[in-house]
Amino acid sequence: MKSVDLKPLAHRLAHKFNDQSVLVRALTHASFAGPTKSNERLEFLGDRVLGLVLADFFYGQCPDEDEGKLSLRLHADARQSKLVEVGRELELARFISVQNGMALAENESVIADAVESLIAAHYLDGGFEVARRFILDYWALDTAAPAGTEKDAKSRLQELVMKQGLALPLYRLISKSGPDHAPEMIYEVSVEGYNSIVASASNRKLAEQQAAALMVAQITKKDPTKKEIT
């Protein structure tokens, strides 16, 4: 397995990395280097940095909107489909070091994770403002359009429990198995007063979404007077 030449990508990015190793790691999949040397930790950090940048942006640009509408905007721009859109604009499938034979171009999860890792790389190498500029350059955030009503399962679940005055849902990893390039991750979601739900998928985001969808179904079925939020 050979490492990928990142120079074409580096030339496209506005930030010039002082530490090239953090850029390399951001685009190194666990199947290529193993979990301890891959971008998995950077993905974790990048997800949080993205959330903070989006929250800060919409809080400042939408002063008349309540928490619910701000959450809708944040979730819409943090979901996997948006990350994949950015990743494809940057042609990241060309630059991710991965085990030979993996079909990266169609693997949306790998591309989305690489985008989050790239955000973290900007943050670690240049600080919050550099990461914020990278996000604002590629996300094309739109405050003129009304907050969307389409919600992912985690957003729907959050609104359901908030309307009932309950604590926010808790997600936790139950187990992870399988090879690095094709893992199976089992996540649990817990909500006060309801049976916990578990679901499995190839990555954390999908597993949490599936568990949340099942929990939404449980809550709305248990109390038929409560309609699912749309």
Side-chain angles (χ1 to χ4, degrees), residues 104-125:
L104 261 184
E106 301 303 322
N107 194 324
E108 294 189 346
S109 175
V110 172
I111 294 173
D113 291 348
V115 173
E116 289 182 332
S117 300
L118 194 56
I119 292 170
H122 280 78
Y123 172 75
L124 292 174
D125 194 70

Side-chain angles (χ1 to χ4, degrees), residues 46-62 65 69-79 82-83 86 116 119 128 131-132 134-143:
D47 177 64
R48 275 67 182 177
V49 174
L50 174 61
L52 177 57
V53 170
L54 294 177
D56 177 70
F57 178 85
F58 289 124
Y59 181 85
Q61 295 296 318
C62 306
E65 294 187 351
K69 290 183 178 179
L70 293 175
S71 293
L72 286 178
R73 292 188 184 278
L74 186 151
H75 288 300
D77 280 294
R79 65 180 54 186
K82 182 62 180 181
L83 293 166
V86 172
E116 289 182 332
I119 292 170
F128 179 76
R132 189 180 79 89
F134 170 72
I135 292 167
L136 296 182
D137 283 347
Y138 283 95
W139 261 249
L141 300 174
D142 182 11
T143 58

Side-chain angles (χ1 to χ4, degrees), residues 136-158:
L136 296 182
D137 283 347
Y138 283 95
W139 261 249
L141 300 174
D142 182 11
T143 58
T149 56
E150 180 184 356
K151 306 178 183 72
D152 60 26
K154 290 181 68 175
S155 300
R156 295 198 302 271
L157 177 58
Q158 178 173 314

Side-chain angles (χ1 to χ4, degrees), residues 2-142:
K2 296 181 179 180
S3 297
V4 178
D5 181 8
L6 299 182
K7 290 180 181 178
L9 175 63
H11 288 322
R12 294 185 60 181
L13 299 174
H15 175 65
K16 304 306 178 185
F17 281 81
N18 296 309
D19 182 359
Q20 290 293 316
S21 68
V22 72
L23 178 60
V24 171
R25 185 161 188 169
L27 297 166
T28 300
H29 189 258
S31 65
F32 185 87
T36 60
K37 296 183 179 180
S38 72
N39 62 5
E40 289 184 349
R41 282 171 53 85
L42 290 176
E43 174 202 346
F44 166 83
L45 178 59
D47 177 64
R48 275 67 182 177
V49 174
L50 174 61
L52 177 57
V53 170
L54 294 177
D56 177 70
F57 178 85
F58 289 124
Y59 181 85
Q61 295 296 318
C62 306
D64 298 325
E65 294 187 351
D66 60 18
E67 184 271 346
K69 290 183 178 179
L70 293 175
S71 293
L72 286 178
R73 292 188 184 278
L74 186 151
H75 288 300
D77 280 294
R79 65 180 54 186
Q80 185 181 76
S81 59
K82 182 62 180 181
L83 293 166
V84 172
E85 179 184 326
V86 172
R88 286 181 172 158
E89 181 180 351
L90 288 167
E91 299 181 286
L92 287 192
R94 295 173 48 199
F95 303 108
I96 302 173
S97 294
V98 68
Q99 184 182 54
N100 290 340
M102 287 190 67
L104 261 184
E106 301 303 322
N107 194 324
E108 294 189 346
S109 175
V110 172
I111 294 173
D113 291 348
V115 173
E116 289 182 332
S117 300
L118 194 56
I119 292 170
H122 280 78
Y123 172 75
L124 292 174
D125 194 70
F128 179 76
E129 184 57 34
V130 167
R132 189 180 79 89
R133 176 48 52 195
F134 170 72
I135 292 167
L136 296 182
D137 283 347
Y138 283 95
W139 261 249
L141 300 174
D142 182 11

